[in-house]
C-alpha cells in the first residue's frame, strides 16, 4: 500500500509540473534511429506517450527536444488548449493523437507540421478546424469524430491531396465542402451522425473510395447525387437511417459493391420487396430501371451516354445523349475555393479529356 501511494503521488506531480520528464512510469518514451541514405547521418526520433495522465496543460518550454519527436500521444487527458509555440516546434512529427480531451480549438501552427500523416482529435469540443491544416500536405488520416464541427475548411480537398481517411462522424455538419470531391486518394469517408442536407455532386472524382458512410443523418439527407454510381472502387455504402425515398439508378453500375445498407429509409425505388432480397436484387432492379424495363421509371438520358462510354454496365439498347452532359451546377463556393491552384488544375484540358489517365498518376 505504501508503494502504491508513493507511485500515485509521483504520477500526479509529474503530470502537473513536468509531464515531459521520465520520472513517471506512465510516461513512455522510445527511440527510433533513422539513417539518411544520402549523407548516412543518424537521426534519433522519439515516441512520447503522455496519455491518461489527467494533464490540464502542457509546458511551453518542455525538457526534451520537440524536434526529435515523431509520435506524440496526448490522448485521454484534460487538455483545454495546446500552445502555439510548442506545436510549431514539432517539425518531425508524423503522428499526433489528442483524442478524448477538452480542446476547443487546434493551434494555427498545426500548419507547420509538414511531415504529419495522422491527426486524431476525436472526442473534444471543436467547433471548426483551422484553415492552416491545409498546409499539412503529407496528411493521410484526419479523424475528428465526436466534436461539434459545423463546417470544414472550404478548400480542404484541393490541398490535402494525400488524404486517405476522413472521419468526421458525430458532429453538426450540414454539408461537406465541394472540394471534398477532389480527394482522389481518399479510401474512407465517414460522415455519419451529422446533419447533412446533401453530398457534393462530383463524387466520380473519388476513384479510390472504398467505404462511404453517410448513415444516420435522419430527416436531413433526402437524396444521393447520381454520381455515387461512378465510385468505381466502392466496396461498402451505408445510407441507412436517412429520409431517402429513391436510390440513384447508377448504383446498379457499382461492380465492386459488396455491402449496401439502406434500412431506416422510406424507399419507394427500389421497393421494399426488392430490398429484402439483398444487394444483387437491388443492383439488378436499378440496372433494369436504367434500361427502361420498368415502365414508370424516369430515364436519366443525360447520364446514359457516359455510362456506356465508361463500360460501367452491360445493359442493352442504352440511349445516348448528344445534346449535353446534364450535370447540375455545383454549389456556390467561396472565392478561396475558386482561386485555389488545385481547382484550376482540375479544370485543365488534360483533366477534362482524360480523367482516368490524370488521376492514376
Amino acid at each position: 500500500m505504501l508503494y502504491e501511494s508513493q507511485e500515485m503521488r509521483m504520477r500526479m506531480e509529474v503530470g502537473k509540473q513536468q509531464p515531459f520528464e521520465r520520472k513517471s512510469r506512465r510516461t513512455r518514451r522510445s527511440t527510433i534511429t533513422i539513417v539518411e541514405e544520402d549523407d548516412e547521418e543518424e537521426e534519433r526520433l522519439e515516441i512520447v506517450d503522455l496519455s491518461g495522465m489527467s494533464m490540464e496543460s502542457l509546458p511551453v518550454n518542455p525538457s526534451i527536444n520537440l524536434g526529435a519527436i515523431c509520435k506524440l500521444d496526448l490522448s485521454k487527458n484534460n487538455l483545454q488548449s495546446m500552445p502555439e509555440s510548442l506545436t510549431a516546434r514539432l517539425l518531425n512529427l508524423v503522428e499526433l493523437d489528442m483524442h478524448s480531451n477538452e480542446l476547443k480549438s487546434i493551434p494555427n501552427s498545426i500548419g507547420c507540421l509538414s511531415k504529419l500523416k495522422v491527426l486524431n482529435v476525436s472526442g473534444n469540443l471543436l467547433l471548426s478546424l483551422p484553415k492552416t491544416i491545409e498546409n499539412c500536405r503529407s496528411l493521410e488520416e484526419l479523424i475528428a469524430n465526436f466534436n461539434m464541427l459545423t463546417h470544414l475548411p472550404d478548400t480542404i480537398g484541393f490541398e490535402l491531396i494525400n488524404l486517405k481517411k476522413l472521419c468526421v462522424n458525430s458532429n453538426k455538419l450540414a454539408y461537406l465542402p465541394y472540394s471534398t470531391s477532389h480527394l482522389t486518394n481518399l479510401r474512407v469517408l465517414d460522415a455519419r451522425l451529422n446533419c447533412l442536407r446533401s453530398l457534393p455532386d462530383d463524387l466520380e472524382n473519388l476513384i479510390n473510395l472504398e467505404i462511404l458512410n453517410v448513415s444516420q443523418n435522419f430527416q436531413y439527407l433526402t437524396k444521393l447525387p447520381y454520381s455515387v454510381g461512378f465510385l468505381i472502387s466502392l466496396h461498402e455504402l451505408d445510407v441507412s437511417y436517412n429520409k431517402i425515398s429513391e436510390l440513384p439508378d447508377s448504383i446498379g453500375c457499382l461492380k465492386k459493391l459488396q455491402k449496401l445498407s439502406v434500412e431506416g429509409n422510406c424507399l419507394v425505388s427500389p421497393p421494399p420487396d426488392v430490398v429484402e432480397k439483398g444487394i444483387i436484387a437491388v443492383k439488378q432492379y436499378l440496372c433494369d430501371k436504367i434500361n427502361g424495363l420498368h415502365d414508370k421509371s424516369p430515364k436519366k438520358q443525360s447520364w446514359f451516354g457516359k455510362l456506356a462510354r465508361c463500360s460501367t454496365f452491360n445493359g442493352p439498347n442504352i440511349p445516348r445523349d448528344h445534346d449535353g452532359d446534364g450535370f447540375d451546377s455545383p454549389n456556390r463556393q467561396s472565392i478561396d475555393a475558386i482561386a485555389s491552384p488545385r481547382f484550376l488544375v482540375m479544370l485543365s484540358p488534360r483533366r477534362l479529356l482524360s480523367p482516368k489517365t490524370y488521376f492514376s498518376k
Side-chain angles (χ1 to χ4, degrees), residues 58-102:
L58 293 175
V60 177
N61 296 308
S63 59
I64 65 173
N65 180 13
L66 296 177
I69 301 177
C70 64
K71 179 178 179 180
L72 178 58
D73 188 348
L74 300 173
S75 63
K76 301 177 183 177
N77 283 293
N78 300 317
L79 299 176
Q80 297 182 7
S81 64
M82 190 166 179
E84 291 274 358
S85 58
L86 184 149
T87 306
R89 287 184 284 166
L90 296 167
L91 298 179
N92 284 300
L93 198 64
V94 174
E95 182 174 342
L96 177 58
D97 190 348
M98 298 189 292
H99 83 264
S100 302
N101 278 285
E102 299 178 10

Side-chain angles (χ1 to χ4, degrees), residues 7-17 24 53:
E7 184 184 28
M8 182 60 69
R9 187 160 54 251
M10 186 192 312
R11 290 179 182 175
M12 293 180 66
E13 290 174 357
V14 172
K16 292 181 179 179
Q17 298 176 4
S24 173
M53 295 183 65

Side-chain angles (χ1 to χ4, degrees), residues 339-355:
S340 169
R342 284 280 298 163
F343 183 80
L344 297 177
V345 170
M346 300 304 293
L347 293 179
S348 69
R350 185 180 180 187
R351 153 74 175 94
L352 297 174
L353 296 175
S354 182

